[in-house]
Amino acid sequence: MPAPTRKTLKYYDVTLASASPRRAALIRNIPWLRATVFPSVAEEYAFAGGDVAAYAVALARRKAQDVFKKRGGVVIGADTVVTVDGQVLGKPTDAAAAERMFRLLCGRTHAVITGYCVCDATKTAENYVITHVTFGAYESELVQAYIRTGAPFDKAGGYGLQDELLAPLIQKVEGDRDNVIGLPIEALKKTLEEFL
């Protein structure tokens, strides 16, 4: 399907199965999409080993299917995980957990994987995108100031690439920056063009 143009004024309605304000903002970058946000209440389960990308996609599928049962139509689910040394870092539960994550991530490169799932009554499309992020050396004052803002606690890996306070710590981003923020828009757009 060719992407709709302004001239045709063709829009597609979808439901984004997410409570993330960052994903809600990112999906608005697809101009021919009208997205309604409806958070999933599907229970997430801990990573038990194996393929991290498959784990991210499985969580995205759970969210999409959960919301599809309630809303129908076309539903998009997504889940972002941060992984380093075979460990999957979720959202830190407290300041100490956030600090441990920063100590693990600083001075090295880690992978951010967002899996996504698009489904309707007859079909499902799934994919994932990997971006590599390199942090500089651990800086206690910067990290502690960032943790005090409360920003780490709703983000996988305990950080948001878009947070200005953290900018001095980010040395390199290899791949899609939107993916690190929570939704790989370019890849999702291609999937939707084939799906819709």
Side-chain angles (χ1 to χ4, degrees):
M1 177 204 81
T5 64
R6 278 186 177 275
K7 194 173 181 181
T8 64
L9 294 178
K10 177 67 175 174
Y11 294 94
Y12 292 90
D13 293 306
V14 300
T15 300
L16 178 63
S18 177
S20 165
R22 295 168 297 280
R23 288 196 182 112
L26 284 167
I27 203 165
R28 287 198 290 269
N29 291 325
I30 303 178
W32 40 268
L33 216 58
R34 287 188 299 217
T36 301
V37 173
F38 192 95
S40 166
V41 294
E43 187 175 343
E44 295 187 15
Y45 59 94
F47 179 63
D51 187 333
V52 178
Y55 169 69
V57 170
L59 291 179
R61 184 188 315 122
R62 275 193 173 208
K63 293 177 181 180
Q65 291 175 344
D66 171 62
V67 170
F68 176 77
K69 289 174 187 173
K70 299 162 185 164
R71 301 266 305 179
V74 177
V75 179
I76 300 167
D79 197 88
T80 301
V81 298
V82 172
T83 179
V84 61
D85 283 350
Q87 297 182 61
V88 170
L89 306 183
K91 299 170 185 174
T93 53
D94 56 27
E99 183 180 2
R100 282 194 299 272
M101 287 185 185
F102 274 103
R103 289 190 180 278
L104 186 61
L105 296 172
C106 285
R108 61 198 313 186
T109 299
H110 61 273
V112 181
I113 305 172
T114 299
Y116 63 84
C117 173
V118 183
C119 68
D120 65 11
T122 60
K123 57 191 182 295
T124 300
E126 299 173 343
N127 197 6
Y128 64 89
V129 173
I130 302 175
T131 302
H132 291 95
V133 180
T134 303
F135 277 13
Y138 183 84
E139 296 181 34
S140 182
E141 286 186 20
L142 186 155
V143 169
Q144 293 303 325
Y146 183 67
I147 291 172
R148 284 194 296 273
T149 69
F153 303 116
D154 69 339
K155 298 176 179 73
Y159 77 93
L161 187 67
Q162 70 281 8
D163 295 337
E164 289 184 18
L165 182 58
L166 208 60
L169 201 59
I170 311 295
Q171 285 194 338
K172 185 164 53 171
V173 179
E174 299 171 272
D176 185 342
R177 295 180 70 89
D178 288 343
N179 182 55
V180 184
I181 298 170
L183 200 61
I185 289 300
E186 289 306 312
L188 177 60
K189 193 187 299 183
K190 290 176 184 174
T191 298
L192 289 168
E193 286 173 353
E194 295 173 2
F195 188 93
L196 294 171

